[in-house]
């Protein structure tokens, strides 16, 4: 006791952990292939989903992991929010996770495959089962549990990937996906109608072929054939009601983030190709609204050993455009936008974005 009969003074409470201590990771430290961001207004938290990387989570299971952030710059260490249960049909993959809110719950769409489950083939390439499955949770942080025993949504005889939820103007859900070039030679974008439980209820509809875009370059295979890739569809409706699709394929210098537009404003199209948004080996992007109201895009660059890149976007009504790369968030030393014009060794100008 101190003089005066008063109790000893307690030391002041420690300061709360800093943002960097709670969320120690920056985007250059985070493996990110096919990134997907949910900006959850209720918790003012950004959830960034990608396939599980055991080196990051310490969890060897096949599934999806999530990073979280309050400011798009500082991110928590990831944790697994979905793992394919043992004994199901899939043994590999867990590609391109997307999380969508539907009827009050959160649905994870992610692609798996199994090379030991062959599909019939009429061509030179061996085919095997590949498709997007669903899992559901009550919160965006999971945990997610399989829907319908983790069976693929699209027809099982089709080799498909990168399923994405789209809800049309009448409130009808669809899954848009890429039909794999391994099976089609020219990859396509397709859409299958779903019921209220997100189960396929009709035949898939062809939206467009990869070779309809004049910027897409065929990829020569060891057997001499040339194939065309479709990847990463995401649907977005602009402020004037125009329906757009972000998607990716290969251009002159690698992977490309591109844009297409429905002339009818509906999923059935017809679809016209608007060209690349970002080149320089960048792609599989998606759009989201930041808490400050800005329209943002996240994608990965490069294709191999991919990292997340963030862009501020502009909704012009009939399309979206890149405003700039948000280098204060992704810490990119060589941003693609604003575009830097350089000269080649021959003196001709090179546009690198």
């Amino acid at each position: 006791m101190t003089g005066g009969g008063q109790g000893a003074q307690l030391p002041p409470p420690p300061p709360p952990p800093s943002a960097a201590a709670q969320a120690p990771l920056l985007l250059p430290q985070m493996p990110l292939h096919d990134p997907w961001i949910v900006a959850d207004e209720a918790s003012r938290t950004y959830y960034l989903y990608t396939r599980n990387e055991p080196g990051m989570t310490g969890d060897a299971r096949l599934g999806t992991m999530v990073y979280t952030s309050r400011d798009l710059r500082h991110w928590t260490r990831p944790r697994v929010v979905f793992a394919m249960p043992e004994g199901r049909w899939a043994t590999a993959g867990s590609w391109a996770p997307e999380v969508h809110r539907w009827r009050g719950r959160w649905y994870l769409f992610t692609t798996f495959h199994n090379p030991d489950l062959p599909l019939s083939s009429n061509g030179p390439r061996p085919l095997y089962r590949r498709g997007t499955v669903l899992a559901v949770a009550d919160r965006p942080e999971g945990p997610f549990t399989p829907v319908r025993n983790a069976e693929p949504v699209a027809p099982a005889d089709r080799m498909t990937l990168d399923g994405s939820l789209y809800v049309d103007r009448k409130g009808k859900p669809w899954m848009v996906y890429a039909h794999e070039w391994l099976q089609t030679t020219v990859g396509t974008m397709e859409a299958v109608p779903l019921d209220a439980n997100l189960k396929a209820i009709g035949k898939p509809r062809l939206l467009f072929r990869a070779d309809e875009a004049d910027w897409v370059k065929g990829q020569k295979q060891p057997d001499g054939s040339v194939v065309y890739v479709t990847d990463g569809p995401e649907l977005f409706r602009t402020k004037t009601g125009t329906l757009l699709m972000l998607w990716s394929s290969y251009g002159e210098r690698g992977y490309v983030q591109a844009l297409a537009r429905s002339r009818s404003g509906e999923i059935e199209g017809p679809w016209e190709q608007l060209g690349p948004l970002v080149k320089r080996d960048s792609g599989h992007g998606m759009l989201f609204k930041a808490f400050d109201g800005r329209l943002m895009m996240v994608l990965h660059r490069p294709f191999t050993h991919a990292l997340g890149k963030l862009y501020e976007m502009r909704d012009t009504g009939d399309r979206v455009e890149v405003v700039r790369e948000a280098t204060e968030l992704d810490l990119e030393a060589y941003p693609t936008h604003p575009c830097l014009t350089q000269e080649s060794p021959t003196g001709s100008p090179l546009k690198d974005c």
Side-chain angles (χ1 to χ4, degrees):
M1 299 290 287
T2 61
Q6 302 210 354
Q9 287 189 333
L10 297 175
S18 66
Q22 296 182 64
L25 298 180
L26 302 173
L27 281 169
Q29 300 168 307
M30 299 160 53
L32 279 177
H33 208 82
D34 306 342
W36 183 271
I37 290 179
V38 168
D40 180 44
E41 284 282 358
S43 62
R44 302 293 285 185
T45 300
Y46 298 102
Y47 294 89
L48 175 48
Y49 303 89
T50 188
R51 68 187 179 198
N52 179 40
E53 297 288 348
M56 295 296 294
T57 61
D59 188 330
R61 292 179 296 170
L62 180 67
T64 300
M65 68 183 189
V66 67
Y67 303 92
T68 64
S69 175
R70 297 301 182 105
D71 59 9
L72 290 175
R73 179 179 170 93
H74 302 97
W75 296 88
T76 61
R77 298 192 184 281
R79 61 185 182 84
V80 173
V81 293
F82 172 70
M84 179 63 76
E86 292 288 337
R88 301 300 197 273
W89 66 275
T91 59
S94 195
W95 296 341
E98 298 190 6
V99 173
H100 299 265
R101 192 166 174 82
W102 172 251
R103 295 199 163 189
R105 304 190 79 190
W106 297 89
Y107 285 85
L108 169 69
F109 290 64
T110 182
T111 301
F112 290 88
H113 58 264
N114 187 340
D116 295 325
L117 294 178
L119 300 177
S120 60
S121 174
N122 294 322
R125 293 178 289 275
L127 305 180
Y128 49 90
R129 199 170 186 198
R130 174 176 291 166
T132 298
V133 308
L134 298 185
V136 66
D138 293 323
R139 299 167 301 186
E141 62 265 35
F144 290 84
T145 58
V147 174
R148 290 185 291 275
N149 204 34
E151 286 297 310
V153 178
D157 62 347
R158 298 192 179 206
M159 201 172 182
T160 64
L161 72 163
D162 297 351
S164 185
L165 180 66
Y166 166 68
V167 181
D168 67 21
R169 285 170 162 159
K170 297 179 181 179
K172 177 181 177 180
W174 299 74
M175 189 179 78
V176 181
Y177 60 88
H179 195 164
E180 184 69 274
W181 62 266
L182 284 163
Q183 189 169 41
T184 62
T185 301
V186 178
T188 61
M189 287 298 181
E190 299 177 1
V192 62
L194 309 176
D195 66 13
N197 297 313
L198 303 184
K199 182 179 181 180
I201 54 171
K203 293 183 178 180
R205 305 186 187 192
L206 174 66
L207 304 184
F208 60 82
R209 294 161 45 104
D211 59 359
E212 291 175 28
D214 59 10
W215 58 268
V216 172
K217 300 302 177 185
Q219 306 296 299
K220 191 169 184 179
Q221 301 301 294
D223 62 11
S225 64
V226 176
V227 304
Y228 295 82
V229 174
T230 48
D231 266 356
E234 191 227 358
L235 283 293
F236 177 80
R237 197 170 292 280
T238 71
K239 60 187 179 182
T240 61
T242 299
L243 183 62
L244 303 175
M245 183 193 298
L246 270 66
W247 72 287
S248 291
S249 188
Y250 288 90
E252 285 280 4
R253 301 177 65 188
Y255 208 48
V256 173
Q257 179 60 66
L259 191 65
R261 177 171 60 204
S262 169
R263 293 196 189 104
S264 69
E266 304 298 340
I267 191 66
E268 295 88 351
W271 288 85
E272 58 184 335
Q273 301 301 323
L274 300 183
L277 285 170
V278 182
K279 297 181 182 178
R280 205 185 291 175
D281 200 15
S282 306
H284 205 114
M286 60 85 62
L287 297 165
F288 67 97
K289 276 285 185 73
F291 297 136
D292 61 10
R294 287 181 299 167
L295 181 64
M296 303 291 290
M297 178 173 68
V298 63
L299 50 73
H300 68 239
R301 183 170 72 246
F303 187 86
T304 303
H305 306 301
L307 298 174
K309 307 297 176 179
L310 287 165
Y311 291 82
E312 186 176 339
M313 306 294 289
R314 180 186 296 116
D315 179 348
T316 68
D318 66 342
R319 66 181 64 212
V320 293
E321 298 174 345
V322 176
V323 175
R324 66 185 188 95
E325 184 167 353
T327 55
E328 76 280 9
L329 300 176
D330 68 22
L331 306 182
E332 174 58 64
Y334 302 97
T336 60
H337 294 72
C339 186
L340 302 177
T341 303
Q342 302 172 336
E343 283 194 357
S344 73
T346 63
S348 58
L350 285 175
K351 283 224 167 187
D352 203 22
C353 59

